Amino acid sequence: RAGVVLEFDEGGSRSKSDGPAKDEIFKANEDAAVRFQKELQQSPEAELARAYLQGRALDLDAWKEWGIGYAPDGWGFLSDKAGGRGSARMKALEAAGLVLTNEKGNLYDRFRGRVMFTIRDELGRAVGFSGRILKPDEKSGGKYVNTPETSVFRKSKILFGLDKGKREILDQRQVLLVEGQLDCIRCHLGGFSTAVASQGTVFTEEHTILILGKKETLEQFY
């Protein structure tokens, strides 16, 4: 009735082959978010990122409120300080989709030279990121690169901004669905606190359950 989603993991233990626990992945994402935010606010390299955000009318308060940061244009911002292959931190980064392995077996950062938007679940936990490129080239990938599907990040079950807007959504019995993170943030700053954004996927039944706390059709919601 309160709209709180409870999650239970069966069993109290896991084997080493199971990989990092969800809590370790949440922490890896949270630590990365803090480093990205510090980089945006303090690094000379992030000047273009700061100019881009200011051009979108997003100031320092908005950066802090929404966990906006910057991933430097290098291969080892996160991976170089994770303790090497096989360390607990590196395994967590890999499980979170923040670090990849190339064809030579070398580890490198997924996000490089991008404005970073921290994606949180309905409970406010950092589950992933969406990174917007600043200097496109043929090797940089798409305009936006998102965290891949992981044990804590499922696009069909995540709505950006829901952690901030859920109370208003339940109280007002309405939700404003927009396309991307910037649209959602701008709506909240403009007073539309029921705005949420999907993560490059259609609106699913799981999204409806997230918003309402129960299985209900959109027609009933309206």
Side-chain angles (χ1 to χ4, degrees):
R1 288 198 299 270
V4 177
V5 178
L6 302 180
E7 296 182 359
F8 298 93
D9 290 328
E10 294 185 8
S13 63
R14 59 184 176 85
S15 66
K16 292 183 178 179
S17 62
D18 291 332
K22 287 185 178 181
D23 284 349
E24 295 174 275
I25 300 175
F26 289 135
K27 186 178 188 306
N29 282 324
E30 195 64 60
D31 290 346
V34 170
R35 291 193 63 191
F36 290 145
Q37 290 171 63
K38 183 177 180 180
E39 196 72 8
L40 174 65
Q41 296 171 30
Q42 300 180 7
S43 173
E45 183 186 332
E47 182 57 39
L48 183 60
R50 291 190 288 267
Y52 167 77
L53 291 168
Q54 290 163 357
R56 302 300 298 267
L58 298 177
D59 59 14
L60 178 60
D61 289 339
W63 305 351
K64 293 179 179 179
E65 173 69 15
W66 289 90
I68 303 174
Y70 174 71
D73 192 11
W75 297 94
F77 178 67
L78 297 177
S79 55
D80 285 353
K81 296 183 179 181
R85 186 183 297 277
S87 70
R89 289 179 61 188
M90 185 64 80
K91 289 180 179 179
L93 288 174
E94 290 184 272
L98 289 164
V99 170
L100 303 171
T101 303
N102 65 17
E103 63 276 5
K104 295 181 179 180
N106 299 318
L107 296 164
Y108 67 97
D109 289 15
R110 176 184 298 274
F111 298 102
R112 306 178 305 279
R114 294 176 181 269
V115 174
M116 300 297 293
F117 297 91
T118 304
I119 301 172
R120 298 185 180 277
D121 64 11
E122 71 280 4
L123 301 180
R125 300 173 298 191
V127 296
F129 298 90
S130 181
R132 188 195 191 282
I133 196 67
L134 291 170
K135 295 180 180 179
D137 61 51
E138 59 183 20
K139 296 182 179 180
S140 62
K143 182 178 180 181
Y144 281 90
V145 169
N146 297 324
T147 293
E149 297 277 308
T150 71
S151 62
V152 303
F153 183 77
R154 304 284 174 84
K155 290 188 293 185
S156 63
K157 296 183 178 181
I158 294 292
L159 287 170
F160 181 81
L162 184 58
D163 58 312
K164 299 183 184 302
K166 188 164 187 178
R167 185 69 267 162
E168 283 294 313
I169 290 170
L170 290 173
D171 288 345
Q172 297 185 28
R173 297 288 295 174
Q174 66 178 19
V175 62
L176 176 60
L177 181 65
V178 297
E179 183 179 3
Q181 288 85 19
L182 278 173
D183 293 339
C184 181
I185 294 171
R186 292 297 309 152
C187 283
H188 278 259
L189 294 177
F192 296 93
S193 56
T194 62
V196 296
S198 60
Q199 303 302 300
T201 184
V202 297
F203 194 80
T204 67
E205 184 178 87
E206 287 89 349
H207 289 146
T208 307
I209 296 171
L210 271 177
I211 292 171
L212 301 176
K214 59 182 178 179
K215 187 173 182 179
E216 188 172 0
T217 67
L218 288 179
E219 289 76 10
Q220 290 172 312
F221 183 54
Y222 293 136

